[in-house]
């Protein structure tokens, strides 16, 4: 798997994607720090976009003739996104916990506010997992469903938190369940559609030449 991850440097516009990745991670951290995430849960998507650029690099590499002709194509196609998503999710949880711990006046306040925050992070990443699984294969449908998912999740979470406040451990369990279920669905879907050709709408002219 480490060897497969090293191949990312040969992906389409690797350096540019890494720059954008760092930029969006920093922007996401700033937004999470200063924006009320309870009113705008999809703020987390900006943070996740930093990792989305890495997944995009892997996706373009998987579409290249070099990787497609490799006997390890299936392993690369399914394994690399899985590792990136696991690293991304737990990075978000750790960074979010550090930010909220610094902002909290006490341990009690930290544990009280973190439950809902973790649920937001888990649900938003669940949506992103499904989008990244289908986005490069069925671009238009995936984009529409992604936008609808973000809007509906905002309303659902706002209503849920108005009626119930989750503690840290409840939030952590629910967030992990969201993530695990999203990984399960994306793994099944990824295995089912990994041979489907990428959508041309998701490709630029230069990317088509690369592929």
């Amino acid at each position: 798997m480490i060897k497969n991850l090293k191949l990312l440097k040969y992906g389409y516009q690797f350096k540019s994607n890494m720059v954008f990745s760092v930029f969006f991670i920093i922007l996401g951290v700033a937004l999470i720090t200063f924006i009320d995430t309870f009113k705008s849960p999809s703020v987390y998507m900006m943070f996740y976009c930093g990792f989305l650029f890495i997944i995009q690099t892997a996706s373009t590499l998987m579409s290249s003739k070099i990787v497609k002709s490799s006997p390890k194509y299936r392993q690369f196609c399914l394994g690399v996104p899985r590792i990136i998503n696991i690293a991304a999710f737990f990075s978000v949880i750790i960074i979010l916990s550090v930010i909220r711990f610094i902002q909290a006046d006490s341990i009690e306040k930290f544990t009280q506010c973190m439950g809902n925050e973790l649920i937001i992070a888990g649900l938003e990443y669940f949506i992103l997992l499904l989008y990244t699984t289908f986005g490069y294969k069925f671009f238009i449908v995936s984009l529409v469903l992604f936008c609808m998912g973000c809007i509906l999740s905002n309303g659902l979470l706002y209503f849920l938190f108005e009626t119930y406040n989750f503690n840290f451990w409840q939030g952590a369990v629910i967030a992990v369940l969201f993530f695990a279920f999203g990984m399960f669905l994306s793994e099944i879907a990824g295995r089912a559609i990994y041979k489907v050709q990428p959508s041309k709408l998701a490709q630029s002219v230069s990317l088509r030449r690369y592929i």
Side-chain angles (χ1 to χ4, degrees):
M1 185 53 64
I2 294 177
K3 290 182 179 179
N4 288 339
L5 290 172
K6 288 181 178 179
L7 290 175
L8 287 176
K9 64 183 179 181
Y10 299 109
Y12 176 71
Q13 294 185 342
F14 172 75
K15 292 183 180 179
S16 298
N17 283 335
M18 293 307 102
V19 171
F20 281 115
S21 178
V22 172
F23 170 77
F24 276 98
I25 289 174
I26 294 174
L27 178 61
V29 169
L31 290 174
I32 289 173
T33 303
F34 299 107
I35 299 293
D36 187 350
T37 52
F38 291 108
K39 294 181 179 179
S40 303
S42 292
V43 163
Y44 286 101
M45 287 298 182
M46 193 65 67
F47 185 86
Y48 293 139
C49 279
F51 298 96
L52 188 59
F53 280 101
I54 303 176
I55 297 174
Q56 177 177 295
T57 303
S59 298
T60 59
L61 186 58
M62 286 183 283
S63 300
S64 68
K65 294 178 181 178
I66 298 175
V67 174
K68 277 189 172 181
S69 62
S70 169
K72 293 187 177 181
Y73 170 68
R74 183 183 177 88
Q75 178 187 351
F76 188 92
C77 181
L78 299 172
V80 171
R82 185 191 306 136
I83 294 299
I84 295 172
N85 280 315
I86 292 173
F89 177 73
F90 285 102
S91 294
V92 170
I93 297 301
I94 292 171
I95 292 172
L96 175 63
S97 298
V98 170
I99 292 173
R100 294 298 181 241
F101 183 79
I102 293 173
Q103 292 178 330
D105 297 329
S106 63
I107 296 295
E108 290 75 15
K109 186 175 181 180
F110 168 75
T111 54
Q112 287 174 359
C113 74
M114 274 301 295
N116 292 355
E117 293 264 11
L118 291 172
I119 292 174
I120 293 173
L123 178 56
E124 297 295 339
Y125 205 80
F126 171 82
I127 295 171
L128 190 63
L129 274 170
L130 298 183
Y131 171 72
T132 55
T133 301
F134 293 100
Y136 300 107
K137 306 287 186 176
F138 312 100
F139 181 70
I140 296 298
V141 175
S142 298
L143 185 61
V144 171
L145 293 177
F146 173 75
C147 293
M148 290 177 58
C150 290
I151 295 171
L152 291 174
S153 68
N154 283 356
L156 174 65
L157 290 171
Y158 181 80
F159 174 77
L160 179 63
F161 297 151
E162 282 289 310
T163 57
Y164 190 80
N165 187 55
F166 295 86
N167 62 39
F168 178 85
W169 297 111
Q170 289 173 328
V173 170
I174 294 173
V176 171
L177 288 176
F178 269 128
F179 176 72
F181 188 49
M183 287 290 290
F184 174 73
L185 293 179
S186 64
E187 186 82 13
I188 293 176
R191 291 177 182 275
I193 66 172
Y194 85 100
K195 288 186 177 181
V196 175
Q197 293 299 312
S199 169
K200 290 186 177 181
L201 292 173
Q203 304 170 16
S204 64
V205 175
S206 57
L207 175 57
R208 291 175 195 171
R209 287 198 296 265
Y210 167 83
I211 294 174

